[in-house]
Amino acid sequence: MASIADKAGLVFGERHDPHQKAAAAPVSFAGTFGLFQAADGFSSGAWRNAAVLFVPPWGFEEMCTHKLFRIMAEEFAADGIASLRFDYPGTGDALDAPKGAITLEIWQETVTAALTLLREKAGGVPVMLVGHGLGASLALQMAQALDAGQENRLCGLVAMAPVASGRAYLRELQFWAQVIDDGLSLDPALRLHGVTAIGGHIMPEAVATALKKSDFANAVPHHSIPYLLVNRPQRPGDKLLAEALANKGARVEMRDYTGFEAMVANPSVAQMPTETLEAVVSWVVCRAAALGKPEAVAADDMRDSASLETDEYRETSMRFGRNKRLYGILCEPKAERRGASVLLVGTAYDRHAGWGRSNVAMARRLAEAGIASFRFDPANVGDSPPVPGLPEQVLYTDTQYDDVESALNMFEARHLLPAVAAGRCSGGYLAFSSSTKDHRLAGLCLANAYAFYWDPACDVDGALRMVPRSLDTYTKLIFMGSTFRRLLRGEVDVKNAARNFGSVMTGRILTGLQCGNWLTPRARMAHAQVRSAFARLAKRKVKLVLLYSENDIGLEHLYQHFGAKGRRLARYSNVKMAILPGMDHNLSPASAQQRYFEEIRDLAFSITSNRSDAQPKSKT
């Protein structure tokens, strides 16, 4: 039987498919990176006299909607509409700025600069704004000014889940952040206080101050363009905002936002709101078609990279791999390069910037220490398109190994070997599994790796939705007053919690009896695969650093294969293990990020190579 790899048509480790979409073209402007998606109308001749500027939301909502924007951009391109998506300064991959330098006005200026760049690249056609959350409200607020003094600069506006009141939005963020921190079982003492933050994202103080005074319902509408307001039925303020615009003379259409909650619940299990996506794309395409054909057709942007730099580092955003199918950002020190290069492997469906921009911060700190790094999106994650014919679910599958290999090929082509890999949770699993197949990885730093072997028969989606917690975490939660209050309010899925608790308890008992790995053929297979992988890495002398939060569920899997407290890891001289007290699964606190950075830095410095093409080179 042909393997998945055979069906995908692997050529020297890289998938070759004539129908593979390339990643969007990287651009840089105003201290930030963007992605220009050229119109793809050659086959159909459906070139439209319009382009789309995506105006993103902020923080955790941006993480959850990042893939949505990429899918919409690809849909627009197929209908002959070019588009541009970007990060605000201090968010995503954009450059940072001194504390207090980022304001709401700076973000608005970036929107204006993005509009100018898009019109330049799309041949001067009119632009539709498609915003989400806070970005939708900025678009509503700025629409008239963006068109001032320009003829036909805008031709429509879509506001998805817009923010009506800045003050109410900040209160909602505070509640939402507490729910996320509770879900992570993050110790209250380690949570961020005195700032507006959610999911590790910290809003610039000046932006939060400005939002407290912002009432987007007072926005003066642009009377010459059509509006589509995509409202969340459970948020009455969305509809009231749309009605306020209509009462001021705007041409407003409304529709319900079906699927919003399922998308923003958790990036790891986010479901794209397909029905809403199709409705928005259809609305934009219909209005673009009414504008006729453009006078001239803009050529496809052939650039494969763009760059930004500071005194300490230079970042290059690039599409890479066969068919230019993948997207990532290389961060190199401006000073002499030292040690091995680091491959930052992303977690789940988080974009390459990482949870709370952790990968961005890590890459730049490594560069300041003289270490190059690369953060990227595997296929069907973030900004990298899917591979035709393969399943939508890519986590814990063999198909992602090829994406890691493509990244290592880039390292090799740029003389950036030797390399080590670092990843958290599923990213740690992917880094570990890739290292057993690709000898160019000389070291690994894995944080809270959930597993070291994944049974192909296991349903990934089901496992992700019902991930149990560690026994220690359950014990802690049982005696917390907040848990009892949630039970009374009916906020706890008692049946699922009981099932997970029973599963973890059974696993702990079997581990103590040292028999859980032998009860079934599947258990024996998993145990043999894990021990074999560790033995192969030890034979190659691959340095392996394992970091775990003290109550992480990944410890249950580690203990299953290597005994309580991982005592049987002592037989592997290449393995170092440490447990970090008080930390959450995402290593959110600054102290956890500091320890993670130090371990990766020290690992990179410890790797040496005798290969002439892998020696560190001075930057000129």
Side-chain angles (χ1 to χ4, degrees):
M1 179 179 291
S3 68
I4 292 178
D6 295 331
K7 293 178 181 178
L10 296 192
V11 180
F12 297 107
E14 293 197 12
R15 302 186 188 96
H16 177 68
D17 190 309
H19 303 293
Q20 173 69 57
K21 293 178 181 177
V27 296
S28 58
F29 66 99
T32 188
F33 284 116
L35 284 165
F36 174 70
Q37 189 89 45
D40 184 24
F42 288 112
S43 58
S44 63
W47 291 94
R48 307 297 184 188
N49 191 33
V52 166
L53 177 64
F54 290 97
V55 191
W58 176 81
F60 186 78
E61 185 177 351
E62 191 280 330
M63 286 179 60
C64 295
T65 59
H66 197 83
K67 182 177 178 178
L68 173 70
F69 274 13
R70 191 257 297 162
I71 295 173
M72 292 176 71
E74 292 169 352
E75 292 290 323
F76 289 140
D79 278 297
I81 299 173
S83 66
L84 177 68
R85 50 195 195 271
F86 67 94
D87 294 322
Y88 303 116
T91 73
D93 293 308
L95 295 181
D96 296 303
K99 186 175 181 180
I102 296 178
T103 64
L104 192 61
E105 289 75 18
I106 294 294
W107 285 5
Q108 292 169 329
E109 290 172 7
T110 307
V111 175
T112 302
L115 175 62
T116 301
L117 177 64
L118 175 58
R119 281 177 56 83
E120 174 188 321
K121 287 190 165 295
V125 299
V127 172
M128 291 195 193
L129 303 177
V130 175
H132 202 291
L134 181 57
S137 300
L138 290 181
L140 291 170
Q141 188 180 62
M142 297 177 65
Q144 190 170 30
L146 287 172
D147 229 12
Q150 302 286 335
E151 184 176 356
N152 296 326
R153 202 175 186 191
L154 295 184
C155 59
L157 191 154
V158 178
M160 305 177 69
V163 172
S165 162
R167 187 173 293 275
Y169 169 67
L170 294 175
R171 287 198 300 269
E172 183 180 340
L173 281 180
Q174 185 178 18
F175 171 77
W176 198 359
Q178 182 175 338
V179 170
I180 292 173
D181 288 344
D182 287 346
L184 293 171
S185 299
L186 185 60
D187 191 308
L190 295 174
R191 300 182 185 188
L192 293 170
H193 300 283
V195 294
T196 300
I198 181 171
H201 299 268
I202 301 176
M203 180 177 286
E205 184 178 352
V207 173
T209 299
L211 287 177
K212 290 177 182 177
K213 307 171 185 176
S214 299
D215 185 350
F216 295 102
N218 291 331
V220 179
H222 189 312
H223 294 150
S224 300
I225 64 172
Y227 285 72
L228 174 64
L229 274 289
V230 187
N231 304 321
R232 298 161 292 182
Q234 65 276 25
R235 306 286 211 288
D238 290 12
K239 185 176 180 181
L240 292 176
L241 175 60
E243 292 173 345
L245 291 170
N247 291 335
K248 295 175 185 176
R251 291 184 286 145
V252 176
E253 296 179 45
M254 288 183 277
R255 68 157 289 121
D256 288 344
Y257 199 141
T258 305
F260 174 81
E261 299 293 343
M263 177 180 60
V264 300
N266 185 335
S268 298
V269 295
Q271 300 177 39
M272 291 297 101
T274 305
E275 181 181 335
T276 299
L277 185 155
E278 292 175 350
V280 170
V281 170
S282 177
W283 189 90
V284 170
V285 171
C286 286
R287 271 116 201 108
L291 299 176
K293 297 288 184 179
E295 295 180 1
V297 174
D300 189 5
D301 192 321
M302 301 304 292
R303 288 200 305 174
D304 294 329
S305 65
S307 63
L308 292 171
E309 58 183 86
T310 68
D311 292 339
E312 292 79 26
Y313 58 83
R314 175 187 178 89
E315 291 201 323
T316 304
S317 63
M318 64 177 73
R319 44 186 180 180
F320 66 100
R322 190 176 292 276
N323 301 105
K324 307 175 186 178
R325 66 185 184 86
L326 299 168
Y327 179 76
I329 294 185
L330 176 66
C331 185
E332 299 175 278
K334 296 288 283 292
E336 182 178 6
R337 186 166 64 84
R338 305 169 59 197
S341 300
V342 177
L343 190 65
L344 297 171
V345 185
T347 300
Y349 287 99
D350 295 352
R351 60 178 294 195
H352 56 269
W355 178 269
R357 299 183 78 210
S358 56
N359 282 350
V360 174
M362 179 68 71
R364 293 171 182 176
R365 292 190 68 187
L366 289 171
E368 291 171 2
I371 300 169
S373 67
F374 188 58
R375 56 190 190 272
F376 73 103
D377 291 327
N380 203 32
V381 175
D383 294 308
S384 293
V387 176
L390 294 184
E392 281 290 304
Q393 174 58 269
V394 297
L395 302 183
Y396 295 101
T397 64
D398 290 348
T399 61
Q400 286 197 322
Y401 302 150
D402 184 45
D403 304 331
V404 173
E405 185 173 8
S406 295
L408 290 171
N409 289 346
M410 184 278 295
F411 269 171
E412 188 168 14
R414 289 175 174 254
H415 305 289
L416 291 172
L417 294 177
V420 300
R424 178 181 59 79
C425 193
S426 62
Y429 168 83
L430 178 56
F432 178 83
S433 299
S434 297
S435 71
T436 65
K437 299 171 177 60
D438 198 313
H439 288 212
R440 290 174 294 184
L441 286 174
L444 300 168
C445 183
L446 314 182
N448 290 328
Y450 179 64
F452 297 101
Y453 169 75
W454 191 269
D455 186 344
C458 180
D459 175 42
V460 178
D461 288 317
L464 290 176
R465 294 182 192 285
M466 294 187 294
V467 175
R469 305 187 185 194
S470 70
L471 184 61
D472 297 328
T473 298
Y474 281 124
T475 303
K476 178 182 177 181
L477 289 173
I478 287 173
F479 294 101
M480 289 178 62
S482 59
T483 302
F484 183 69
R485 289 191 293 272
R486 291 181 64 212
L487 279 168
L488 292 178
R489 292 195 298 264
E491 296 175 358
V492 176
D493 186 338
V494 178
K495 182 178 179 181
N496 183 52
R499 179 173 58 247
N500 285 342
F501 179 80
S503 174
V504 173
M505 176 63 79
T506 301
R508 180 68 68 89
I509 293 172
L510 293 176
T511 296
L513 296 174
Q514 300 184 16
C515 62
N517 295 317
W518 315 106
L519 288 180
T520 67
R522 290 175 65 176
R524 292 194 291 272
M525 168 66 76
H527 186 58
Q529 290 286 343
V530 172
R531 298 294 290 272
S532 174
F534 270 76
R536 293 199 303 274
L537 294 182
K539 185 177 181 179
R540 283 173 39 209
K541 295 182 171 53
V542 174
K543 297 185 178 183
L544 176 55
V545 179
L546 301 176
L547 300 178
Y548 284 95
S549 302
E550 62 178 339
N551 295 321
D552 195 79
I553 183 60
L555 283 171
E556 303 291 341
H557 295 272
L558 182 78
Y559 297 166
Q560 175 186 343
H561 297 292
F562 298 103
K565 306 302 179 183
R567 63 180 183 275
R568 287 195 290 272
L569 286 173
R571 69 184 63 178
Y572 303 102
S573 60
N574 63 315
V575 177
K576 168 187 175 182
M577 177 183 168
I579 295 179
L580 310 183
M583 302 305 172
D584 67 311
H585 181 70
N586 290 345
L587 301 182
S588 301
S591 56
Q593 288 294 314
Q594 175 66 21
R595 177 63 182 275
Y596 192 29
F597 161 73
E598 291 172 355
E599 294 289 354
I600 295 173
R601 177 200 61 194
D602 294 348
L603 175 65
F605 283 160
S606 72
I607 303 297
T608 59
S609 173
N610 295 322
R611 292 181 53 176
S612 60
D613 67 343
Q615 296 301 319
K617 301 179 184 297
S618 298
K619 294 296 174 184
T620 57

